[in-house]
Amino acid sequence: MPRYAFTVIIDTDAPAEPYIRSLDDADAAWEAARAMIVDLMTASADPRLLSAIMVVTDEADEIVFEFPFSEALNLPAGGTGPVH
């Protein structure tokens, strides 16, 4: 099962270590990223999160996708995942 690293970037800073998860594929990683973003925005009133990005990388440290926090707010649950 592939491993993905989820890193929050605010401006040019990564305020925490990446969160690592083993998931089936990039679509599952996209759904996990969206859920994490929604949880973070629900738990924090930090306005900087509106301009934050979740960068998801694979085991080779290649970027799989970047997910702007602002986009997660505009998608219905089960919205469209990454384009391959």
Side-chain angles (χ1 to χ4, degrees):
M1 189 172 288
R3 289 172 35 123
Y4 296 92
F6 299 80
T7 305
V8 176
I9 306 292
I10 300 175
D11 296 321
T12 58
D13 298 324
E17 290 293 315
Y19 178 68
I20 309 295
R21 285 192 63 188
S22 294
L23 298 163
D24 290 335
D25 55 26
D27 289 332
W30 187 91
E31 290 294 338
R34 182 184 185 282
M36 283 186 255
I37 290 169
V38 170
D39 288 347
L40 285 168
M41 293 192 76
T42 300
S44 175
D46 188 340
R48 298 177 306 152
L49 290 179
L50 289 172
S51 62
I53 297 173
M54 176 83 66
V55 177
V56 179
T57 55
D58 60 17
E59 292 174 284
D61 205 29
E62 296 289 325
I63 294 175
V64 178
F65 60 88
E66 296 180 0
F67 198 148
F69 277 44
S70 60
E71 284 185 21
L73 297 176
N74 298 322
L75 291 172
T80 352
V83 176
H84 301 287

